[in-house]
Amino acid sequence: MKHIAIVICNYNYERFIAETIDSSLAQDYPGTRVIVIDDGSTDSSRAVIEQYGSRISAVFKENGGQVSAYNLGVELAGTDYVIFLDSDDVLYPHAVSEVMRKFEEEDLAKVQFRLDVIDESGKQTGAYIPHSEPPADCGRLLREGWLYPSPPASGNAYSVSALKAVFPVPEGGINRYGADFYAIYGAALIGAVATIPQSLGAYRVHHSATPSVSFANSEQIKKAPKAFKERWVTLREIAKERMNLELPPAFHDFAHEKAYFGSSLYHASLGARWRWMLNDSRAYMHTIVANPFWSLKKKAGTLFLSSLCLLPYSPLSDFVVRYITNPLARRGTVEQ
């Protein structure tokens, strides 16, 4: 039997970490190892983690950021496969079994699966991510600069050998966070990616009672686009030095561009909305019209919705911006 490690990276999530560990220990795949890396938490996380004793492998390190925790997790996994589970998310009991079935069927670098979106209390929101599935040749498209549709960290399982071709990643600066960027896209440069089209876990979104343009927990909507660009630069360097691959200088990604769209148009005046559409929307429009992962129907629908932001009725424009940028504003399926 091949083994898999669930590596939980935690920082100051004492209110969620027990539920995350419990979901990992409840996996019905017998060859599952649970590792918890606490990145210098200053709350009561350590006391919660220590209660599990020998049922888990616990590592307490000085605070260095998420990338430092991933670097250590790849080194310590000691298994054929690994899932990096955020310490506020959960896996359903059959998640590892489904993932391992995929790995046994094919030679894969990564298996990804849908995540249901839950609120801070753990209640289902009715949304899930992602809605689009990457094609079999997503690695080729990535080498052309297209970031493929992927769930966030907790919805991915990796071949450890694939991750070792990418990690360790330089730590510090912008790389204190966003480690899943390097795992998600780095793995696709190494080998094939497969998708399980069902929800095998849950992604927790904090403070989601009032839908806005913000969706992700870790970074503000105005900071995330800049961070993505800097991470792409680092990934290009890793690909060139370790894989002899030359990635393009710029990447294309609708999730990235809709952050600019949302921060520029939300609560904006009619004049500001028109100016952005006329002068600054080229990259946004390109990731819709040329998107290799979307159907013609989806492209047309997104273009139509975007055009509604040019109407003078600002409540409609704000609703459309929320609908496009934040899945929770729809309370339905998610476009990522």
Side-chain angles (χ1 to χ4, degrees):
M1 172 182 290
K2 291 188 176 181
H3 289 73
I4 185 170
I6 300 174
V7 177
I8 302 169
C9 299
N10 176 70
Y11 178 69
N12 284 352
Y13 270 168
E14 62 172 307
R15 62 194 189 279
F16 303 127
I17 184 64
E19 185 179 359
T20 303
I21 295 174
D22 288 343
S23 77
S24 301
L25 292 173
Q27 293 301 305
D28 59 14
Y29 185 80
T32 304
R33 178 188 182 195
V34 179
I35 303 171
V36 180
I37 299 176
D38 185 81
D39 189 36
S41 292
T42 57
D43 62 2
S44 299
S45 291
R46 180 165 189 149
V48 176
I49 295 167
E50 288 178 336
Q51 291 177 356
Y52 288 88
S54 61
R55 299 172 67 196
I56 64 173
S57 297
V59 179
F60 300 95
K61 62 185 285 294
E62 293 184 3
N63 181 253
Q66 189 189 40
V67 167
S68 72
Y70 266 57
N71 284 341
L72 182 58
V74 172
E75 180 184 340
L76 296 179
T79 53
D80 300 296
Y81 305 100
V82 65
I83 295 174
F84 280 93
L85 180 62
D86 285 348
S87 56
D88 55 343
D89 297 340
V90 296
L91 294 176
Y92 299 155
H94 60 293
V96 170
S97 291
E98 293 296 325
V99 161
M100 293 304 294
R101 187 173 294 114
K102 268 290 185 185
F103 277 123
E104 289 169 1
E105 292 172 353
E106 304 175 62
D107 182 17
L108 301 168
K110 192 189 94 160
V111 174
Q112 65 180 54
F113 48 88
R114 284 188 342 203
L115 295 172
D116 293 325
V117 180
I118 57 177
D119 64 17
E120 189 163 9
S121 68
K123 181 180 178 181
Q124 295 279 346
T125 65
Y128 60 82
I129 48 175
H131 186 261
S132 302
E133 296 180 15
D137 63 346
C138 66
R140 176 186 64 80
L141 292 167
L142 179 62
R143 288 188 285 274
E144 295 173 3
W146 283 96
L147 303 189
Y148 66 91
S150 173
S154 302
N156 302 278
Y158 304 94
S159 160
V160 171
S161 63
L163 288 189
K164 285 185 175 180
V166 180
F167 290 84
V169 169
E171 302 172 10
I174 197 67
N175 282 339
R176 282 188 61 83
Y177 309 103
D180 54 332
F181 180 93
Y182 301 106
I184 289 168
Y185 301 113
L189 296 175
I190 301 300
V193 174
T195 300
I196 297 175
Q198 67 185 88
S199 295
L200 298 181
Y203 174 72
R204 193 184 309 267
V205 174
H206 308 164
H207 312 298
S208 58
T210 304
S212 67
V213 294
S214 180
F215 176 61
N217 297 320
S218 58
E219 294 173 305
Q220 297 177 3
I221 193 167
K222 292 183 179 180
K223 293 182 178 180
K226 180 181 178 182
F228 260 52
K229 287 183 177 179
E230 294 185 22
R231 288 173 192 139
W232 179 255
V233 171
T234 301
L235 182 62
R236 288 186 72 222
E237 294 172 352
I238 292 172
K240 185 174 183 178
E241 293 174 3
R242 303 180 193 173
M243 308 169 203
N244 199 29
L245 292 175
E246 192 73 46
L247 298 179
F251 64 87
H252 312 290
D253 179 44
F254 178 72
H256 172 263
E257 296 301 333
K258 75 179 181 181
Y260 285 116
F261 169 82
S263 61
S264 300
L265 272 62
Y266 196 53
H267 292 329
S269 66
L270 178 62
R273 284 180 266 142
W274 271 91
R275 283 192 295 273
W276 189 87
M277 284 291 192
L278 291 173
N279 301 321
D280 302 313
S281 64
R282 182 176 180 180
Y284 173 76
M285 293 300 178
H286 178 74
T287 59
I288 298 173
V289 175
N291 197 308
F293 310 111
W294 287 11
S295 66
L296 183 60
K297 180 180 178 181
K298 183 173 178 178
K299 293 178 182 180
T302 306
L303 288 172
F304 172 73
L305 284 172
S306 300
S307 70
L308 295 179
C309 293
L310 298 176
L311 297 178
Y313 186 53
S314 57
L316 174 61
S317 175
D318 287 343
F319 170 78
V320 168
V321 172
R322 289 195 304 269
Y323 188 90
I324 290 175
T325 59
N326 186 353
L328 296 179
R330 304 170 225 174
R331 300 291 173 176
T333 57
V334 179
E335 307 297 339
Q336 276 256 110

